[in-house]
Amino acid sequence: MDLVAWLEEAARAVRSWEASWGDFERHESVRVCDEEVSVAFNALMQRLRGNYPFFHPRYAGQMLKPPHPVAALGYAAAMLINPNNHALDGGPPTAAMEKEVVRRLAEMFRFPEETLGHLTGGGTMANLEALWVARNIRPQQAIAFSEAAHYTHGRMSALLGVRPVEVPADAQGRMQLEALEAELKTGTVGTVVLTAGTTSLGAVDPVAEALPLCRRYGTRVHVDAAYGGFYVLLAYADQAGLLSGAVARNFRAIAGADSVVIDPHKHGLQPYGCGCILLRDPSLGRFYRHDSPYTYFTSDELHLGEISLECSRAGASAAALWLTLQVLPLAADRGLGPILAACRRAAQRWSSALETAAVLRPYLPVDKVAFCKIPADD
């Protein structure tokens, strides 16, 4: 796609819509001349050249890469209007888009139709909400997570005043079930966080075995799938050789968790500022309940701010993800699936190349690593 041409079309379309509201003059105080913008813009672009070449296919930079051009287009088009998805009054169309994409993400994990969820500013905020809910359900009880889990769980536990319990990980970076059970036997753990794709090794905790173990001790389960969650698409498909049987089984087991977090700004090809929290039990919305009479007044429908700890949130994030999923749907055989499969095959090829390299060696065998990333080029 020609991103420049489509960005011009987005600006034209928004300008045409604005014209339908009638002509007006901008206040003198906000006017800037093209010459001033040119100087500032050139300085900006010069400074941005200091970034690494995230756009280049040869750059291996974890989650650092531009969003898909379709996502950039959707974000830019909505940003020109700048809706606020806190309340329906601030952005009815993008609020509806957010509800649609959240429903699709829930379906991807095989969560029930009544799942409660919303987009967030990122995985950290989404995990904070999950742990906040966990604390409210099980006050005075600890939250356990692997020592290989993202550092956010320790930080957020401290923020919430919850005792964190670090469970040892094995040599592949996965939570040790024996160590987990030892903690569960104490009766002090209320929620266990399992990771589906660690940021260090791409490891997937043994969700399929940990879930029944936690249920046996009456413990809740939250899955942090911020980094690897989209690979659940391949886990439900007949993609022989792309995911090992154990990894695929653990991704499918996420369907039985109490909550899950995913970051569309990672493998979902979105701009930063797009995370998502999904809560299986919709009654948990009771913990968010509050009133805001100056915002929640035009509709009896659910305002997203009523189920979110964040207040103002960019409607542009919802528009970007919605537009992306229109052309790259959440499917294994089309849309996002082939992109994920290409990432996985790239990991396999890279690992094979390292096996015969003169200097480098793979840290783990490729079947122990869930995924890798490639730029979202056309």
Side-chain angles (χ1 to χ4, degrees):
M1 62 177 282
D2 186 341
L3 180 58
V4 173
W6 279 109
L7 288 174
E8 290 177 350
E9 176 61 19
R12 186 206 62 77
V14 170
R15 184 170 297 177
S16 174
W17 172 76
E18 288 177 336
S20 70
W21 290 89
D23 194 20
F24 68 96
E25 281 197 28
R26 297 189 184 277
H27 193 272
E28 185 66 30
S29 62
V30 298
R31 291 180 180 174
V32 293
C33 67
D34 286 337
E35 290 77 10
E36 291 175 321
V37 174
S38 177
V39 171
F41 181 75
N42 288 334
L44 170 66
M45 296 312 298
Q46 189 61 37
R47 297 189 71 164
L48 289 178
R49 291 176 69 89
N51 283 301
Y52 295 110
F54 305 139
F55 63 89
H56 201 283
R58 293 180 180 173
Y59 180 82
Q62 198 186 35
M63 59 187 177
L64 298 174
K65 60 177 180 54
H68 193 281
V70 170
L73 175 64
Y75 196 100
M79 183 182 59
L80 292 174
I81 302 170
N82 203 26
N84 184 345
N85 271 21
H86 175 68
L88 293 177
D89 313 271
T94 50
M97 292 178 197
E98 179 168 339
K99 293 178 182 180
E100 288 179 35
V101 298
V102 167
R103 186 165 60 250
R104 293 184 193 179
L105 291 171
E107 291 170 352
M108 181 180 73
F109 284 112
R110 306 305 199 263
F111 264 41
E113 185 177 350
E114 63 271 17
T115 293
L116 192 72
H118 61 87
L119 299 182
T120 67
T124 298
M125 190 66 199
N127 276 308
L128 170 61
E129 290 202 19
L131 300 190
W132 175 76
V133 168
R135 185 202 64 182
N136 289 341
I137 295 174
R138 303 286 178 87
Q140 310 306 317
Q141 289 195 294
I143 293 176
F145 46 86
S146 165
E147 63 180 351
H150 196 278
Y151 62 81
T152 190
H153 298 294
R155 295 179 71 195
M156 294 304 104
S157 294
L159 178 64
L160 294 167
V162 178
R163 183 172 68 88
V165 174
E166 281 199 0
V167 180
D170 63 19
Q172 282 76 46
R174 303 167 300 193
M175 180 184 285
Q176 292 185 13
L177 291 179
E178 296 81 3
L180 172 61
E181 185 167 18
E183 294 293 346
L184 295 177
K185 285 180 177 178
T186 67
T188 62
V189 175
T191 298
V192 171
V193 178
L194 301 172
T195 303
T198 61
T199 52
S200 55
L201 297 176
V204 178
D205 280 338
V207 184
E209 290 75 27
L211 258 172
L213 175 63
C214 290
R215 298 308 186 209
R216 192 157 68 243
Y217 287 91
T219 307
R220 299 180 67 258
V221 173
H222 167 62
V223 175
D224 179 2
Y227 198 27
F230 283 102
Y231 276 83
V232 73
L233 290 172
L234 301 187
Y236 280 104
D238 183 17
Q239 299 280 0
L242 287 179
L243 295 179
S244 71
V247 168
R249 184 169 63 254
N250 289 324
F251 272 119
R252 292 194 296 269
I254 295 173
D258 296 293
S259 59
V260 62
V261 157
I262 188 169
D263 268 5
H265 71 218
K266 294 189 175 74
H267 286 91
L269 312 179
Q270 299 304 293
Y272 283 117
C274 188
C276 181
I277 170 72
L278 299 171
L279 300 166
R280 170 180 294 279
D281 181 2
S283 73
L284 296 178
R286 66 186 183 275
F287 294 123
Y288 293 91
R289 189 167 295 130
H290 66 283
D291 190 24
S292 180
Y294 61 92
T295 53
Y296 308 146
F297 61 87
T298 62
S299 174
D300 292 330
E301 291 185 41
L302 177 69
H303 297 263
L304 292 165
E306 296 180 277
I307 56 166
S308 170
L309 291 183
E310 293 175 275
C311 293
S312 295
R313 291 183 301 109
S317 294
L321 183 54
W322 183 89
L323 185 64
T324 303
L325 296 186
Q326 297 304 300
V327 297
L328 294 171
L330 297 173
D333 58 346
R334 59 194 178 92
L336 196 60
I339 298 174
L340 296 169
C343 290
R344 180 59 180 160
R345 286 192 293 269
Q348 292 172 325
R349 290 196 302 271
W350 177 238
S351 181
S352 296
L354 288 179
E355 292 287 355
T356 59
V359 178
L360 300 175
R361 288 289 181 271
Y363 185 77
L364 288 176
V366 69
D367 64 326
K368 303 298 184 184
V369 180
F371 52 85
C372 75
K373 301 197 73 174
I374 58 174
D377 292 337
D378 282 347

